[in-house]
Amino acid sequence: MAPTALNNHLTVRNLACVRGERVLFKHLSFELNSGKLLFVQGENGSGKTSLLRTLAGLSLPTIGDIDWNTQTIKILAEDYYGQVLYIGHLASIKDELSPVENIQFALSLSGYRVDRSQVVGALDTLGVGRCADLPSRVLSQGQKRRIALAQLWLQDDPALIPLWVLDEPFTALDISMVEKLTQHIEKYVTSGGMVVFTSHQIPSFDVSLIQDLQLGQV
Amino acid sequence: MAPTALNNHLTVRNLACVRGERVLFKHLSFELNSGKLLFVQGENGSGKTSLLRTLAGLSLPTIGDIDWNTQTIKILAEDYYGQVLYIGHLASIKDELSPVENIQFALSLSGYRVDRSQVVGALDTLGVGRCADLPSRVLSQGQKRRIALAQLWLQDDPALIPLWVLDEPFTALDISMVEKLTQHIEKYVTSGGMVVFTSHQIPSFDVSLIQDLQLGQV
Amino acid sequence: MKSRHKRIAIIVAGIALLAIAATLLLQSFQSNLVFFFSPTEVIQGKSPNQGNFRVGGLVVEGSVKRDGTKVAFQITDTANSMNVIFTGILPDLFKEGKGVVAQGTQGADGVFVADQVLAKHDENYMPPEAADALEKAQQYNANKAAGEDK
Amino acid sequence: MNLFKYASPQTFYPLAGRLIPFFAIGAGLFIIYGLYIGMLVAPTDFQQGDAYRIIYVHVPAAWFSMFLYVVMAVYAILGLSLNAKLSFMMAKSIAPTGAMFTFVALITGAFWGRPTWGAWWVWDARLTSELILLFLYIGYMSLQAGIDDTRRSDRASAILAIVGVINVPIIYFSVKWWNTLHQGSSINTSGSSMAAVMLQAMLIMALGFWLYSAAVILTRVRREIEDRARATAWLNEFKD
Amino acid sequence: MNKRKISTPSLLWRVFKRDITVAWRRRSDITSVFFFFMIATSLFPLGLGADTHLLHAIAPSVLWVCALLSCMLSLPRMFATDYMDGTLEQLIISNQPLLLIALMKILAHWVISGLPLVLIAPLIGLQFNLSNNELQMLAFSLLLGTPSLSLIGGIGAALTLGLRGGGVLVALLVLPLYIPVLVFGAGAVNAVSIGMNATGGLSLLGAVLALALIFAPLTASYALKVAVE
Amino acid sequence: MNKRKISTPSLLWRVFKRDITVAWRRRSDITSVFFFFMIATSLFPLGLGADTHLLHAIAPSVLWVCALLSCMLSLPRMFATDYMDGTLEQLIISNQPLLLIALMKILAHWVISGLPLVLIAPLIGLQFNLSNNELQMLAFSLLLGTPSLSLIGGIGAALTLGLRGGGVLVALLVLPLYIPVLVFGAGAVNAVSIGMNATGGLSLLGAVLALALIFAPLTASYALKVAVE
Ligand code: HEM
Ligand SMILES: Nc1ncnc2c1ncn2[C@@H]1O[C@H](COP(=O)(O)OP(=O)(O)OP(=O)(O)O)[C@@H](O)[C@H]1O
Ligand SMILES: Nc1ncnc2c1ncn2[C@@H]1O[C@H](COP(=O)(O)OP(=O)(O)OP(=O)(O)O)[C@@H](O)[C@H]1O
Ligand SMILES: [Mg+2]
Ligand SMILES: [Mg+2]
C-alpha cells in the first residue's frame, strides 16, 4: 500500500470529560485525517492528558463518541488499539530489563517482532546506543525518555500504525533532540500518518500540517 | 537580646560529599556569619541538595567538619538542630491534618508552641488563610508549598532560630509570592539571621547581603 | 535541659531497664521452660496434670519387658523412677541404662502411656573397646571402693 | 608497618588474590584428610555404631554457622563505627557461607536425629535457635539484596546483623539452660569426652572448613570490590 | 522497517516470559515469599510447644493457611510495578484482549510465588511428622489449589491497585474469597490422615480452579481498566 | 512573635498525639488490622474441621501467631508516610533526641494496632472454647507481649523504609526476632491450659519487653537516620 493512498479519519463527536466533580470539557467535536497533526493546547489541568487518554482508548468517554473510519472505537477495541501508538507521561520502562528488551516487549504488544540490531539502530539515532544493554535502573530521567521515544522510529510506517498519540513528547529533551523529533514527526505525517500531541512549548512544524485544538474555555 | 548583637558563624572546613561511587564535591570550605545569605548555585545533580542536607544535620559529612560557633555540629546535635530551620523539597505535610495542625506540629518539633490565631495570621499573609482548616489532602501542590513556607513567618526571630536552610524555596510559587518571600528573607537577614539557600532562578536580593557558592567545578 | 543531660537521663533509664530485664531473666530460670520433665518433677507435681507432656531419664537396668510391639520399662533420674508403657518401634539407641525421652499422658494409676519414645544419648564418643575398658575400670574402682568401705 | 593500609580495598584486593589459592588448596587437603580419618580410620562408636560419623560434618558446620555470624556482626560493628567500606564488604561476603553452614548443620542434624533419636526434627531449644540463625542469615542477605544504594544497604543490614547476634549465645548455651533432646557439649573448657582419634578427625575437618570459608569469603570480597569499583582506575593494574 | 507480525500465542508467551525474567533479575522478590512461607509455618510449632501429635493434626491446616498468607503477601507485586511505570497502560491498549494478558500475568505470578511453595511444602511437612501419603497429598492439593489462589488474588490485586494501605486492604478482600480453597485443600490432606478418601476435596478444588480460570481473568482485567482510567 | 517554649515531655506527647490523630482520621487503617486478625484466626477452624479438642489445644498458638502477623502487616505504616512526605526529616532534626521520638511513634503504633488485638482476643478465644483462666492469661500475655512486637517491629520498619517489596522483606526480618515473644507468650497460655504455673513465661516476656525498650528505639532511630541520609 503506498503511503499516499492512506485515508483514515478519526472523528470526535460531542465529547465531554468529567473528572471528580469537575467538567473538564464538553461539546468537543473535530475530525482528523491522515497527513494531519492535531496540536492540543490548554493550561495546566485543562484536560489535555484526559483527552489523549480517551483517544488512545485508555478511558471511556463520559459523553460523546469517537469513531475510527466510521466505526466507534469502543466496538473496534483491540483492532483499533493495534493501530495506535500512545506514549504518555510514564515511560513504561521496567528497571530490571535493558532498553533493548523493553523496546522489544513494547513492540510485541502491538504485535510485531523486531531484531536487536534494529532496536540498537533506533537507540543510536537517539544518542543512547551506548545504554542498549544496561539495566534500565541506572539510566537518568532524560535517557529513559529517549528510550520510550525510540518506538517512534520503529513504528513509523503509517500503513501499519496510522495514528500516534503523544502526550508532551518534548519534555526533558535538549534542543538538538527536540529538533530531531520534530523532523521525524513531520516525516511520519507527510508520509500519511496522523498525530495527536500536546506540548507546553510551541513546536516548529510546517503550519500547513497543523490543526489546532484549544481546551479550557468551557 | 537585640538582633544587632547576634554574631553566629557557621564554618565549613574541607568538606567532601560522596554519593554512590561519585564524588559530588570536595575541599569545600567557607564561613558564613549572621546577617549574610549564602546562595548555593550549580547545575542539576551538582550536589546542592546534598550540601544543604549536610548543613541541616540530616546526613553526616563524608570528610570534613562543620562547626557552629566553634563547636562541631555532630557534638551539638539536638542543641544545633533546635536552632536551624530546614525546608526541603518535600513539604512534610500530613494529608490527614489541617494546615494549622501541620504547622503547629512542625513548630513544636523545634520546641515552640504557637496559637491558632498566629498560624492563621501567617497563612493569611501567604494567601492560603481560607484553607486553614481543610484537610491538607485536598490542597493543590502550590498551596502545600505555601503552607510549608508559612513556618518562615512564624520562626523569623534570629535570636531563637538563627539559621534558615532553604532548598529551592521559590519553586512552584507565582511572581507576587516570590516577591513577598524575597522581602521576608531579606528582612530576616538584616535583623541578624543567616540563610543558606539554593535556586535555579536568580533572586533579587540586596547584593551586599549575598555570598555566592558555586558547586560543580571539582 | 541540655542535650548532654538528656543523654545521661536516657542512659540511666536504660540501665534501670537492664536491671529489670536481668532480674526477670533470673527469676524465669527458676521456673520450668523445658523440653521434658524428670520423674522427680512429675512426682512432685511440677508436670502438667492433664494433656501430653514429656518425661526424660535413664532406662532402669533390667526393667524392659517386651510383648510383641508392646514395651514396658521404667525411667529414672536416679532419685525417683516411673513406669512407662509404649506400643510401637523403638529407636535403635534405646538401651537399658541409656537416656530416653518419652512423650505421652500419665494415667490415673501413675503409669505413663507413651505415644513416642526418643533416644537421648550422652555426650561420650569412643570406640566399643574403650567403652568396655572404661566400664571394667569403673567396675573395678567401684568394687575397690566398696572393698575399702568394709 | 601501617595496619590500616590493609583496610583499604586497593591494598586488600591484591593481597586477598595472593592468599586465596593457599586457602583453597589447604581446605581441599584438610577436608579430604579429615574425611579419610573420620570415615575410614576412626573406630565405630560404642553406642551409635557408624551413624555417629555424621559428627565430622555436623559439628564443624554447626561451629562455623555460629562463628561466622559473630564474625559478620563484628565486621558490621567495625563498619558502622569506623565507616570502613571493606568491613561492610566482608560482612556481606560472609553471610552466604554462614547460611550454607547453618543449613548443613540443620540437614546433617536431621539425618543424624532419625537413626539416633528416632525423629527427624523436634522443637527443642537447640534446634529451634539454630533454625532462627538460618532465618537471620536469610534476612540479612535479603535486606542487602533489597536495597539498591550500597551505602544504605551496607548500613541497614549491618544493624540487622548486630541485632541478631544475641541469638548466638542462646544457641550455644541452650543445652545448658534448658533440658533439650540435643546432647550437651562433648568439648568444653574442662576437656573432651571423645576418643582422641575422633576428636582429632573432627578438629581437622573444622580446620578444613575454616580454610574453605576463608577462600570462599575472600573470593566473594574480591568480586564485591570489583563490582563496586568497576569505574576506578587502580583495579586495572591488577587485571590483565 | 523490517518488522514481522507475531501470533497471539507468541505475544502471550512474551508477556509471561517478561514477568518471569523481571522476577528472576530481582531474585530477592521470589526468595522472600518462599522464606516467609518457611518462617510462618515454623511459627506454629513454636507456639504449640512439644506435642507431636497435635503438631501432626494441625499440619495440613497450618501449611495451607500459610500458603494462603504468603500468596496474599506477594499479590501487590502482580500488577503494581506495571501500574507505576506505565506498562499497564500499554498492556491495556495492546492489540490482544486484556483478558488473556491478565491471565498470563497471573500465571507468571503463580510460577513465581505459588509453585515454589508446592515444592518446599513436603520438606516442611517433614518437620510436622507427616507420613509419606500425607506429604504426597499435601503437595498435590497445593498444586491444584495454589493456581486458584493466584487467580482469585489477581482480582484483589487489581482492585487495590494504587491505593494507600493496599497491603492490609488486599488481605481483607482476598482472604474471605480464599476460604473454599483452604477448606477443600486442607480437607483433602486431613482426609488422608484419617484414612479416608480424598477425591471429594480434590474434585472440589478442581472445580474452584475451573471457576477461577473463567471468572478471575475477566474480573481482574475489568478492574485493571478501572484502575488505569 | 509570641511563641512559648515547650518542654520535652510536652513535645513527645505531641508526637504521640499526632500519630493517633492521623490514624483516627484514617480509621480504615485501624479497622483493617483488626479485621485481618479476626479473619486470619477464623481460617484455622475452617482448615481443621470441627474437632473442638484440637481447636482448644491450638488456640493459644493460633491467636498468638495471628497477633504476630497482624502486627507485622501494620508495620509499614509506622514510619512510611512520614518518610514519603518529609516529616521524618523534620523529626530527625528536631531539637529532641530521635530516640525518644521514635519511642513515641512506636508507642502510638502499639496503641493503634496492638491494643485492639489485646481487647478483642478474649472474644475470639471464646470461639476456641478457652476457659476463663486461659482467656485471662491470653489477654494478659498479649498485653505484655504486643508492645515488644511493636518495638521489635519498629526496627524492621525503619530498616525497610522506602524499599520495593518492603512488605515481604519486613516479614523476613521481623518474624525471626518475634519468635521469643511467641514462644513465651503462647507458652504462658499453654501452661495455664495444662494446669501449670505460667510465671516463667510471663517473666521472660517481661524481660524481652525491657530489653526491647532499651534496644529497639536505639536501633530504630539509627536505622531511620540511615534511611533518610
Ligand atoms: C537438626 C538437628 C540438629 C541441630 C540444629 C543441631 C545443632 C547443633 C549446633 C548448633 C551445635 C554446636 C553447638 C556447640 O558447639 O555446642 C551442635 C553440636 C553438636 N551436635 Fe547437633 N544439632 C542437631 C542434631 C544433632 C544430632 C541428632 C546429634 C547426635 C545424635 C548431634 C550431635 C551434636 C554434637 C556431638 C555436637 C558437638 C557438641 C560439642 O562438642 O560442643 N546434633 N549441634
Ligand atoms: N481521577 C481523577 N479524579 C479527580 N480529578 C481528576 C482525576 N484525573 C484527573 N483529574 C483532574 O482533572 C484535571 C485535568 O487533568 P489533566 O491531566 O487532563 O490536565 P492536563 O491538561 O494534561 O494538565 P497538564 O498541562 O498539567 O498536563 C486536573 O485538574 C486533575 O486534577
Ligand atoms: N543515595 C544516593 N546514591 C547515589 N547517588 C545519589 C544519592 N543521593 C544523591 N545522589 C546523586 O547525587 C547527585 C547530587 O544530587 P543532589 O540532589 O544533591 O543535586 P542537586 O544539586 O540538588 O540537583 P538539583 O538541581 O536537581 O536539585 C545526583 O546525581 C544524584 O543522582
Ligand atoms: Mg498532562
Ligand atoms: Mg536539589
Side-chain angles (χ1 to χ4, degrees):
Chain A
M1 213 198 287
T4 44
L6 282 175
N7 186 14
N8 297 305
H9 25 265
L10 182 72
T11 319
V12 169
R13 269 177 291 114
N14 194 29
L15 196 68
C17 178
V18 182
R19 285 280 175 273
E21 299 299 308
R22 255 180 72 206
V23 179
L24 295 181
F25 53 78
K26 57 185 176 185
H27 305 313
L28 185 73
S29 302
F30 63 84
E31 185 168 325
L32 188 67
N33 293 314
S34 289
K36 278 288 185 183
L37 250 169
L38 183 73
F39 180 18
V40 183
Q41 281 173 287
E43 55 195 14
N44 282 338
S46 57
K48 302 183 295 298
T49 299
S50 310
L51 172 63
L52 262 57
R53 291 171 66 87
T54 315
L55 292 180
L58 278 170
S59 47
L60 295 178
T62 321
I63 303 172
D65 298 296
I66 305 174
D67 293 353
W68 175 252
N69 294 342
T70 72
Q71 254 198 301
T72 155
I73 63 169
K74 200 168 160 183
I75 308 263
L76 285 170
E78 286 87 30
D79 293 337
Y80 173 67
Y81 303 153
Q83 303 189 54
V84 184
L85 179 66
Y86 169 75
I87 298 187
H89 285 302
L90 296 167
S92 59
I93 285 176
K94 268 271 165 310
D95 280 351
E96 286 79 13
L97 301 178
S98 72
V100 171
E101 289 168 322
N102 269 306
I103 295 178
Q104 282 182 328
F105 180 71
L107 258 89
S108 63
L109 283 184
S110 357
Y112 295 104
R113 173 157 76 203
V114 284
D115 292 335
R116 207 195 114 75
S117 58
Q118 286 183 308
V119 177
V120 174
L123 291 176
D124 273 333
T125 317
L126 287 158
V128 280
R130 278 183 313 126
C131 315
D133 293 307
L134 296 176
S136 303
R137 178 171 15 95
V138 304
L139 302 180
S140 84
Q141 215 47 41
Q143 288 169 324
K144 282 192 186 170
R145 196 76 212 147
R146 289 177 189 214
I147 283 153
L149 292 173
Q151 278 193 71
L152 296 180
W153 268 256
L154 295 166
Q155 302 257 44
D156 59 355
D157 181 354
L160 299 176
I161 307 283
L163 173 61
W164 286 356
V165 178
L166 311 176
D167 199 356
E168 308 201 11
F170 302 108
T171 340
L173 300 182
D174 56 32
I175 300 172
S176 70
M177 191 60 220
V178 168
E179 178 65 15
K180 206 178 269 176
L181 181 58
T182 314
Q183 277 169 14
H184 188 66
I185 294 179
E186 220 168 79
K187 195 180 115 212
Y188 171 74
V189 172
T190 47
S191 69
M194 192 193 294
V195 175
V196 180
F197 79 104
T198 70
S199 175
H200 283 293
Q201 55 217 86
I202 307 286
S204 58
F205 287 113
D206 181 348
V207 185
S208 68
L209 299 174
I210 289 194
Q211 181 175 334
D212 266 305
L213 179 67
Q214 185 75 37
L215 290 183
Q217 291 126 332
V218 179
Chain B
M1 209 199 286
T4 45
L6 281 177
N7 186 14
N8 296 306
H9 26 265
L10 183 72
T11 320
V12 169
R13 269 177 291 115
N14 195 26
L15 195 67
C17 177
V18 181
R19 284 282 174 274
E21 299 298 314
R22 254 181 72 207
V23 179
L24 294 181
F25 52 79
K26 56 186 177 185
H27 304 312
L28 185 74
S29 301
F30 62 84
E31 184 167 327
L32 187 68
N33 293 314
S34 289
K36 278 287 185 186
L37 252 170
L38 184 73
F39 181 18
V40 183
Q41 281 172 287
E43 54 194 17
N44 282 337
S46 57
K48 300 183 296 298
T49 299
S50 309
L51 172 63
L52 263 60
R53 291 171 67 88
T54 315
L55 292 180
L58 279 171
S59 46
L60 295 179
T62 322
I63 303 172
D65 298 294
I66 304 174
D67 291 353
W68 176 251
N69 294 340
T70 72
Q71 252 197 304
T72 155
I73 63 169
K74 199 168 162 183
I75 308 260
L76 286 169
E78 287 87 33
D79 293 337
Y80 172 68
Y81 304 152
Q83 302 188 55
V84 184
L85 179 65
Y86 168 76
I87 299 188
H89 285 302
L90 295 167
S92 59
I93 286 175
K94 266 270 165 313
D95 281 352
E96 286 79 12
L97 302 178
S98 72
V100 171
E101 288 168 324
N102 269 307
I103 293 178
Q104 282 182 328
F105 179 73
L107 259 91
S108 62
L109 283 185
S110 7
Y112 295 103
R113 175 156 75 204
V114 283
D115 293 333
R116 206 194 114 75
S117 59
Q118 286 182 308
V119 177
V120 175
L123 290 176
D124 274 334
T125 319
L126 287 157
V128 280
R130 276 183 313 126
C131 315
D133 293 309
L134 297 177
S136 303
R137 179 169 14 95
V138 305
L139 302 179
S140 85
Q141 214 48 41
Q143 289 169 323
K144 282 192 185 168
R145 193 79 212 148
R146 289 179 188 211
I147 284 154
L149 291 173
Q151 277 193 71
L152 295 180
W153 270 258
L154 295 165
Q155 301 257 46
D156 59 354
D157 181 353
L160 298 177
I161 306 283
L163 174 60
W164 287 356
V165 177
L166 311 175
D167 198 358
E168 308 201 12
F170 301 110
T171 339
L173 299 181
D174 57 32
I175 299 170
S176 68
M177 190 61 221
V178 168
E179 178 63 15
K180 205 178 270 173
L181 181 57
T182 313
Q183 280 170 13
H184 189 64
I185 293 178
E186 220 170 78
K187 197 180 113 210
Y188 170 74
V189 172
T190 46
S191 69
M194 190 191 297
V195 175
V196 181
F197 78 106
T198 70
S199 176
H200 283 291
Q201 55 217 88
I202 307 288
S204 57
F205 288 114
D206 181 348
V207 185
S208 69
L209 300 175
I210 289 193
Q211 182 173 334
D212 266 305
L213 179 67
Q214 184 75 35
L215 290 185
Q217 290 125 330
V218 180
Chain C
M1 227 186 331
K2 276 258 181 227
S3 62
R4 191 157 37 88
H5 299 154
K6 253 176 244 159
R7 260 171 244 171
I8 292 169
I10 290 171
I11 289 170
V12 170
I15 291 171
L17 280 171
L18 258 183
I20 294 174
T23 31
L24 285 171
L25 275 176
L26 287 179
Q27 191 187 332
S28 71
F29 277 122
Q30 293 159 7
S31 58
N32 35 25
L33 288 157
V34 291
F35 188 70
F36 58 80
F37 297 91
S38 66
T40 306
E41 284 169 325
V42 175
I43 283 162
Q44 290 171 349
K46 282 189 184 159
S47 68
N49 48 26
Q50 62 195 69
N52 255 334
F53 65 97
R54 291 198 179 105
V55 192
L58 301 174
V59 179
V60 176
E61 302 259 2
S63 72
V64 179
K65 293 182 188 67
R66 293 181 196 257
D67 174 14
T69 56
K70 242 177 154 177
V71 203
F73 55 91
Q74 284 188 316
I75 292 182
T76 178
D77 55 6
T78 66
N80 288 291
S81 62
M82 61 189 291
N83 289 312
V84 179
I85 54 173
F86 174 68
T87 311
I89 302 161
L90 290 167
D92 296 343
L93 285 195
F94 179 87
K95 282 209 185 77
E96 293 186 351
K98 298 296 175 193
V100 74
V101 175
Q103 175 183 305
T105 47
Q106 195 175 18
D109 52 357
V111 176
F112 190 83
V113 184
D115 42 36
Q116 189 186 31
V117 173
L118 300 171
K120 178 171 163 54
H121 59 87
D122 55 34
E123 52 271 14
N124 296 312
Y125 290 86
M126 59 187 89
E129 310 84 58
D132 277 350
L134 195 66
E135 199 168 335
K136 285 200 186 105
Q138 273 167 352
Q139 206 89 50
Y140 175 78
N141 281 340
N143 288 344
K144 209 167 93 181
E148 276 169 8
D149 268 357
K150 277 187 189 162
Chain D
M1 194 185 68
N2 182 2
L3 262 182
F4 280 104
K5 201 177 124 207
Y6 292 102
S8 85
Q10 288 88 323
T11 341
F12 181 81
Y13 184 84
L15 179 71
R18 279 202 302 277
L19 290 176
I20 288 169
F22 294 105
F23 288 137
I25 294 168
L29 291 178
F30 273 98
I31 289 176
I32 290 169
Y33 184 55
L35 283 178
Y36 165 73
I37 298 201
M39 297 301 147
L40 299 175
V41 176
T44 50
D45 178 52
F46 74 113
Q47 337 180 51
Q48 299 189 13
D50 278 326
Y52 94 98
R53 293 188 196 274
I54 300 180
I55 204 171
Y56 298 118
V57 182
H58 173 76
V59 176
W63 282 346
F64 275 89
S65 67
M66 296 186 294
F67 175 67
L68 288 180
Y69 195 96
V70 174
V71 176
M72 183 173 91
V74 169
Y75 275 117
I77 293 172
L78 282 182
L80 287 180
S81 54
L82 302 180
N83 198 8
K85 275 190 191 166
L86 189 59
S87 296
F88 289 127
M89 292 187 224
M90 282 299 288
K92 183 179 177 183
S93 310
I94 288 171
T97 307
M100 191 268 285
F101 279 130
T102 315
F103 186 71
V104 169
L106 287 167
I107 289 291
T108 53
F111 274 97
W112 197 359
R114 184 66 213 165
T116 46
W117 300 336
W120 295 99
W121 183 265
V122 294
W123 293 96
D124 80 355
R126 165 63 62 85
L127 273 57
T128 307
S129 52
E130 180 78 0
L131 188 63
I132 295 178
L133 185 72
L134 181 65
F135 295 156
L136 286 172
Y137 273 122
I138 290 169
Y140 176 91
M141 291 189 288
S142 307
L143 190 61
Q144 269 281 6
I147 307 180
D148 287 335
D149 176 21
T150 47
R151 182 175 157 91
R152 187 178 162 199
S153 67
D154 281 343
R155 282 157 193 271
S157 48
I159 295 171
L160 186 71
I162 296 168
V163 170
V165 85
I166 188 174
N167 188 40
V168 173
I170 295 180
I171 300 175
Y172 189 78
F173 291 112
S174 54
V175 288
K176 246 195 208 146
W177 289 344
W178 299 287
N179 48 18
T180 52
L181 186 60
H182 193 281
Q183 66 158 67
S185 56
S186 296
I187 302 170
N188 49 35
T189 43
S190 56
S192 123
S193 56
M194 289 177 79
V197 206
M198 297 177 175
L199 182 63
Q200 196 190 341
M202 208 166 85
L203 293 180
I204 291 171
M205 283 298 284
L207 214 60
F209 280 15
W210 185 80
L211 290 168
Y212 165 83
S213 309
V216 173
I217 291 167
L218 288 182
T219 313
R220 231 182 259 122
V221 176
R222 265 169 66 94
R223 214 171 56 209
E224 189 69 29
I225 296 177
E226 282 173 33
D227 282 351
R228 293 190 185 191
R230 194 158 283 146
T232 352
W234 61 263
L235 194 63
N236 299 325
E237 294 169 23
F238 303 100
K239 291 181 90 181
D240 29 23
Chain E
M1 270 293 130
N2 174 19
K3 293 189 295 189
R4 274 145 297 152
K5 271 270 171 202
I6 54 175
S7 61
T8 308
S10 159
L11 192 159
L12 294 179
W13 166 246
R14 275 149 207 251
V15 172
F16 175 77
K17 203 180 63 179
R18 171 165 167 282
D19 273 17
I20 301 283
T21 315
V22 168
W24 183 247
R25 302 243 170 107
R26 287 189 60 75
R27 232 150 314 169
S28 65
D29 278 6
I30 310 186
T31 50
S32 51
V33 174
F34 185 80
F35 290 128
F36 172 79
F37 183 65
M38 285 180 56
I39 296 178
T41 45
S42 331
L43 290 179
F44 287 90
L46 292 172
L48 276 181
D51 195 332
T52 7
H53 274 271
L54 203 55
L55 219 57
H56 182 222
I58 64 159
S61 164
V62 165
L63 281 158
W64 259 98
V65 170
C66 290
L68 253 62
L69 293 176
S70 1
C71 187
M72 185 204 81
L73 278 180
S74 65
L75 282 181
R77 234 177 289 135
M78 201 187 292
F79 302 115
T81 57
D82 280 351
Y83 175 73
M84 286 190 299
D85 67 19
T87 310
L88 193 54
E89 298 180 348
Q90 297 295 341
L91 292 174
I92 288 177
I93 53 172
S94 84
N95 76 340
Q96 297 296 333
L98 183 58
L99 176 78
L100 295 180
I101 293 182
L103 183 60
M104 292 326 284
K105 287 188 72 72
I106 292 173
L107 194 65
H109 179 266
W110 176 72
V111 170
I112 295 163
S113 45
L115 195 54
L117 304 190
V118 179
L119 299 178
I120 190 77
L123 208 73
I124 297 178
L126 273 182
Q127 288 187 329
F128 289 83
N129 300 315
L130 290 187
S131 73
N132 252 351
N133 281 342
E134 290 163 330
L135 290 178
Q136 274 167 22
M137 181 50 73
L138 178 69
F140 188 66
S141 66
L142 281 172
L143 188 65
L144 209 59
T146 45
S148 307
L149 299 184
S150 288
L151 284 161
I152 299 171
I155 306 175
L159 284 173
T160 55
L161 216 48
L163 303 185
R164 274 188 303 182
V168 192
L169 207 57
V170 88
L172 275 183
L173 283 179
V174 153
L175 282 184
L177 296 176
Y178 277 179
I179 288 177
V181 184
L182 169 69
V183 172
F184 305 140
V189 189
N190 280 330
V192 171
S193 307
I194 55 175
M196 275 167 55
N197 194 334
T199 38
L202 288 183
S203 46
L204 281 170
L205 268 189
V208 171
L209 180 56
L211 283 177
L213 266 173
I214 303 173
F215 291 111
L218 201 72
T219 329
S221 61
Y222 188 74
L224 287 178
K225 280 188 188 158
V226 171
V228 165
E229 195 171 274
Chain F
M1 270 294 129
N2 174 19
K3 292 190 295 189
R4 275 145 297 153
K5 272 265 171 209
I6 53 175
S7 62
T8 309
S10 159
L11 191 159
L12 294 178
W13 166 245
R14 275 151 208 251
V15 171
F16 176 78
K17 203 181 64 180
R18 172 168 166 281
D19 274 17
I20 302 284
T21 316
V22 169
W24 184 247
R25 302 238 172 111
R26 289 183 54 77
R27 232 149 313 169
S28 68
D29 277 4
I30 309 185
T31 49
S32 52
V33 175
F34 191 78
F35 286 125
F36 173 82
F37 183 64
M38 288 180 55
I39 294 179
T41 44
S42 28
L43 288 179
F44 285 90
L46 291 172
L48 276 180
D51 188 340
T52 30
H53 270 276
L54 203 55
L55 272 185
H56 180 231
I58 63 161
S61 164
V62 165
L63 281 159
W64 258 99
V65 170
C66 290
L68 251 63
L69 293 177
S70 355
C71 187
M72 183 204 83
L73 278 179
S74 65
L75 283 181
R77 233 176 290 132
M78 199 186 291
F79 301 116
T81 57
D82 280 351
Y83 175 72
M84 286 189 298
D85 67 19
T87 310
L88 192 53
E89 298 180 349
Q90 298 295 340
L91 292 175
I92 288 177
I93 52 173
S94 84
N95 77 339
Q96 297 297 332
L98 184 58
L99 177 80
L100 296 179
I101 293 183
L103 183 60
M104 293 325 282
K105 289 189 71 74
I106 292 172
L107 194 65
H109 178 266
W110 176 71
V111 170
I112 296 163
S113 45
L115 195 53
L117 302 190
V118 179
L119 301 178
I120 191 75
L123 218 68
I124 297 178
L126 275 181
Q127 293 183 331
F128 287 81
N129 301 315
L130 290 187
S131 72
N132 249 351
N133 279 344
E134 289 163 331
L135 289 177
Q136 273 166 23
M137 183 49 75
L138 178 69
F140 188 65
S141 65
L142 281 171
L143 188 65
L144 208 59
T146 44
S148 305
L149 298 185
S150 289
L151 284 161
I152 298 171
I155 304 175
L159 284 175
T160 56
L161 215 48
L163 301 187
R164 277 185 301 180
V168 191
L169 202 56
V170 88
L172 263 186
L173 300 187
V174 154
L175 285 183
L177 298 176
Y178 277 179
I179 289 177
V181 183
L182 169 70
V183 171
F184 305 139
V189 188
N190 280 329
V192 171
S193 306
I194 55 176
M196 279 168 55
N197 193 336
T199 41
L202 289 182
S203 51
L204 279 170
L205 269 188
V208 171
L209 180 57
L211 286 178
L213 267 173
I214 303 171
F215 291 109
L218 199 71
T219 326
S221 61
Y222 190 77
L224 287 176
K225 279 187 189 159
V226 170
V228 165
E229 196 173 271

